[in-house]
Amino acid sequence: MSATPPAGTVPYLDVEELFGAPVRAGASISPDGTRIAYLAPWRGRLNVWVESLDDPGDARCVTADETRSVHTYHWTDDPGLLLYEQDTGGDENWHVHRVDLEDPGAPAVDLTPFPGARVMGLELPSSRPGKALLHLNHRDPAQFDLCEVDIATRVLTVLAQNPGQVAGWLYTPDGELYAQTSTAEGDIELSRWSAEGPRRIAVFPGADHPLGVSPAQLTPDGSGVWIGSNRGTDRTRLARLDLATGEETEVDSHPELDLDTRSTVFPQLPSPLIRHRRTGGLLGVRYLGERQVIRPLDPHFAEVLHALEGLSDGDLGAVSCDESGRRWVASFTHDRDPGATYLYDHTTGRARLLFRPYPHLDPEVLAPMEPVTVPARDGLALPAYLTLPVGVEPAGLPMVLLVHGGPWSRDSWRFDPLAQLLANRGYAVLQVNFRGSTGYGKSFLAAGIGELAGRMHDDLVDAVDWAVARGYADRDRVAVFGGSYGGYAALLGASHTPGVFAAAVDFYGVSNLVTFLRSVPEFVKPQLANNWYLYAGDPADPEQEADLWARSPLSRVDAIRTPLLVVQGAGDARVVKAESDQLVEALRARSVDVEYLVKDDEGHGLVNPENAVDAYRAADRFLARHLGGRPGPARQGRGA
């Protein structure tokens, strides 16, 4: 690593260096320990590649998607068969495809070839070799049945047909069925499902679990479920729920931290439970505060964990092992050295670096992401992260407030390409976990109930005031930037507190809470009781509809004078394009400065690298114009 550059000499990072496709990423080891699979570019899209570990250099691309990058794949118990998931144009109608690694010329096979259907919750249980369990709405778009597909023969069997109120299924090794439903009061009920009718096993308060009980994974013998529980405590710990008695017993807990349940929102992130590949046994548990803490629950894994954590000063990310537990592939989360991936052999104790996804990025040129605490006006402590430009005096800087999505999510210590882009341009970057964010206890979560456009937004304004008072930020040069809920927050900044922000950037954000909640997919609506309806309101109730409208940026569109950039995916199934269209049309009718970029082949997020590069180049130019950071070179975008 080179020395930290002195002030004024920090190399300029092009947007493509940060948002282009990685050289390699997302590696995992095969069950027999002889190969790795990973994601790498092929014809401009990320696809799955496979390479020998003992004879590297024979890498070959085993998927062939030229339209949309592949991000999720799975080894099966047959080392010759691999599965991957893909949607169409960002519509989130995920299909499961099979690849035959022993027949390179054979095309991928769609195991769920039902137009408009969506797969959720794919599992490959060790107790059912050759089979995949999945939730599939091929019969009724609003209802997910529990299905099993034979990976080799493609035969799909419906194990349980959804009668209309089941939100999720569990299927034990001996064939017993359990279902998760919601009560009339909004609580979450787990019941044994049989021909005699459902028998209640346990009930969880819905308000304590806005995204459902997570994790919820069967123990290997099927006699219990490992769950994330906050029953009787503020923190979420790991417990075992006995499926015969309904008794809940603690398995593990941390005195200060919640389980790391970010994978509930972002399935590509590791599960909080680290499990043995062959047996399904519990090896370790992830917790998350300012940084990650892993508690090993297995003596062998404790030795492995000690060795792996010595490979990097980052946090252990995705980790996989062969069925013997000898060979391990591990990647690391790091603010300035993202995704470094190693092969470790526990028998020999040797390790070697397999790859760095972005080898062109010098960690010493990138900016550290530092945990800080921001006090809210009512005294609530708000965990946050501050990223300051390298080689620049951190005083009176232009600043960008980055707001996370969800809102039932959280910011965490990691490599954030957007934060790095902004810091490279000379901006201070502040990311605050406002009340209602997950991962800080259920009281912190519940503090967001009823506070959209209220105290949740006050927390963001208080964060700006904190940065100004500390001398980091120039009050007249602060922008707000976010995607999804963060986009809604950016629009609130422009409409509800227009004097605070000099510019706003909205990526696929909600402009009207009423139309947003009425346009979500039908299968989502039964799950809204404990999140959107509880925290914001139900548009079916006239009084709540009026309140939702008052909390919507569109209701105060006449107050918007802040320059605004809006980015939208045309195929977005969560925040539909009409949310952005109606806002932009209203602003243009008033001649307000608004830029609008639409990507026809994207959904709720920017998956294809050229779209991300275009969008963030537009944001780079926009912020330079309104905040005075050092701009990137003008380039021609690919879509509008």
Side-chain angles (χ1 to χ4, degrees):
M1 294 184 181
S2 61
T4 301
T9 64
V10 178
Y12 175 89
L13 294 175
D14 187 79
V15 173
E16 192 162 5
E17 293 181 80
L18 292 163
F19 290 94
V23 174
R24 295 187 179 192
S28 67
I29 194 168
S30 63
D32 60 8
T34 63
R35 294 181 284 188
I36 59 168
Y38 56 88
L39 303 174
W42 179 80
R43 297 189 180 179
R45 297 289 178 264
L46 289 179
N47 275 274
V48 183
W49 294 64
V50 172
E51 183 176 29
S52 170
L53 279 171
D54 297 315
D55 185 23
D58 63 349
R60 62 185 177 91
C61 185
V62 299
T63 63
D65 198 318
E66 300 181 57
T67 304
R68 191 164 179 80
S69 290
V70 177
H71 279 177
T72 305
Y73 70 88
H74 313 267
W75 285 104
T76 71
D77 52 23
D78 180 341
L81 298 177
L82 184 143
L83 306 180
Y84 72 96
E85 299 174 43
Q86 185 60 292
D87 71 344
T88 302
D91 63 5
E92 299 190 52
N93 287 332
W94 303 103
H95 286 219
V96 178
H97 302 264
R98 186 196 71 202
V99 175
D100 188 343
L101 302 182
E102 308 306 323
D103 186 0
V109 176
D110 188 349
L111 299 181
T112 54
F114 307 102
R118 172 183 309 215
V119 169
M120 297 178 67
L122 174 68
E123 294 182 53
L124 297 165
S126 57
S127 61
R128 305 182 74 78
K131 304 292 197 302
L133 292 177
L134 45 88
H135 295 68
L136 182 63
N137 64 344
H138 64 308
R139 179 183 55 84
D140 180 346
Q143 309 297 339
F144 284 83
D145 299 332
L146 178 66
C147 299
E148 181 178 72
V149 61
D150 187 297
I151 297 169
T153 67
R154 302 167 53 184
V155 173
L156 186 137
T157 304
V158 177
L159 300 176
Q161 185 169 300
N162 196 328
Q165 73 271 32
V166 175
W169 301 94
L170 295 171
Y171 192 63
T172 70
D174 59 4
E176 288 193 350
L177 193 63
Y178 295 83
Q180 178 183 302
T181 57
S182 295
T183 68
E185 296 76 26
D187 293 331
I188 300 167
E189 186 174 276
L190 182 67
S191 302
R192 186 176 184 276
W193 215 257
S194 67
E196 292 74 34
R199 179 174 65 84
R200 177 186 294 180
I201 302 297
V203 177
F204 304 90
D208 292 348
H209 301 275
L211 300 180
V213 178
S214 179
Q217 296 187 13
L218 282 168
T219 59
D221 63 2
S223 67
V225 183
W226 287 314
I227 61 171
S229 174
N230 52 30
R231 196 186 302 274
T233 178
D234 191 57
R235 295 293 179 184
T236 299
R237 63 188 184 278
L238 181 63
R240 179 186 180 278
L241 181 72
D242 191 291
L243 288 175
T245 66
E247 181 182 1
E248 186 179 310
T249 55
E250 182 176 304
V251 175
D252 190 64
S253 65
H254 191 284
E256 298 175 352
L257 306 181
D258 277 7
L259 282 178
D260 179 5
T261 58
R262 291 173 298 166
S263 60
T264 304
V265 178
F266 302 106
Q268 294 166 6
L269 292 177
S271 165
L273 307 186
I274 302 174
R275 303 179 64 177
H276 192 283
R277 182 174 217 150
R278 176 174 52 82
T279 68
L282 192 59
L283 302 180
V285 185
R286 299 177 191 262
Y287 298 87
L288 189 64
E290 292 182 350
R291 296 277 298 271
Q292 177 185 254
V293 174
I294 296 178
R295 291 170 58 95
L297 302 183
D298 172 86
H300 175 78
F301 180 68
E303 297 175 0
V304 171
L305 179 63
H306 178 74
L308 292 177
E309 290 183 332
L311 299 176
S312 169
D313 61 353
D315 291 344
L316 182 64
V319 60
S320 60
C321 67
D322 61 17
E323 290 189 337
S324 71
R326 172 194 164 197
R327 301 182 107 179
W328 296 75
V329 168
S331 64
F332 287 87
T333 298
H334 198 289
D335 58 346
R336 293 171 296 117
D337 186 15
T341 301
Y342 294 82
L343 171 67
Y344 167 69
D345 189 315
H346 191 57
T347 301
T348 65
R350 295 175 182 171
R352 64 181 169 93
L353 178 69
L354 293 174
F355 60 82
R356 282 187 161 86
Y358 305 96
H360 55 280
L361 294 178
D362 181 353
E364 298 300 333
V365 171
L366 300 176
M369 186 180 189
E370 299 292 345
V372 297
T373 300
V374 172
R377 64 190 67 180
D378 62 358
L380 186 64
L382 306 173
Y385 293 90
L386 179 65
T387 304
L388 296 171
V390 175
V392 175
E393 180 67 24
L397 299 172
M399 188 179 85
V400 179
L401 181 71
L402 286 186
V403 187
H404 70 67
W408 305 281
S409 182
R410 58 160 287 175
D411 280 311
S412 56
W413 186 82
R414 63 186 179 93
F415 173 72
D416 186 326
L418 178 53
Q420 293 297 337
L421 173 69
L422 297 171
N424 184 258
R425 301 302 190 258
Y427 306 112
V429 182
L430 184 59
Q431 296 166 274
V432 59
N433 286 304
F434 47 85
R435 70 193 69 208
S437 300
T438 56
Y440 298 100
K442 65 183 180 184
S443 59
F444 189 89
L445 182 67
I449 294 175
E451 296 298 340
L452 271 75
R455 291 183 180 181
M456 289 169 71
H457 189 69
D458 290 345
D459 290 346
L460 303 180
V461 175
D462 292 346
V464 172
D465 291 342
W466 174 87
V468 171
R470 289 293 186 99
Y472 296 121
D474 177 352
R475 183 174 293 280
D476 295 328
R477 293 191 295 160
V478 177
V480 58
F481 191 144
S484 194
Y485 175 85
Y488 163 78
L491 296 178
L492 279 181
S495 60
H496 285 56
T497 54
V500 176
F501 299 104
V505 181
D506 155 39
F507 278 37
Y508 33 88
V510 175
S511 67
N512 183 340
L513 290 168
V514 177
T515 54
F516 160 66
L517 289 172
R518 285 178 173 159
S519 64
V520 298
E522 285 301 315
F523 70 86
V524 173
K525 291 180 179 178
Q527 280 78 59
L528 296 180
N530 298 321
N531 43 70
W532 281 105
Y533 291 169
L534 175 63
Y535 280 72
D538 184 348
D541 180 304
E543 185 176 341
Q544 294 182 48
E545 179 187 12
D547 187 54
L548 285 166
W549 170 246
R551 297 172 188 267
S552 299
L554 197 61
S555 72
R556 299 194 188 183
V557 70
D558 290 344
I560 296 178
R561 58 179 183 272
T562 306
L564 182 63
L565 168 65
V566 177
V567 176
Q568 178 71 44
D572 197 332
R574 302 192 197 188
V575 179
V576 298
K577 183 172 174 285
E579 286 297 313
S580 293
D581 286 347
Q582 60 188 343
L583 178 78
V584 170
E585 290 169 7
L587 291 173
R588 286 180 172 169
R590 295 178 47 242
S591 300
V592 174
D593 182 7
V594 56
E595 298 181 34
Y596 191 24
L597 183 65
V598 177
K599 291 298 180 182
D600 290 336
D601 57 347
E602 294 287 8
H604 197 65
L606 300 172
V607 170
N608 290 329
E610 74 276 7
N611 290 332
V613 169
D614 277 355
Y616 288 108
R617 278 192 179 136
D620 186 14
R621 295 191 298 268
F622 175 83
L623 291 172
R625 188 160 62 251
H626 296 291
L627 297 189
R630 60 174 185 167
R635 295 175 185 265
Q636 181 64 42
R638 293 184 178 86

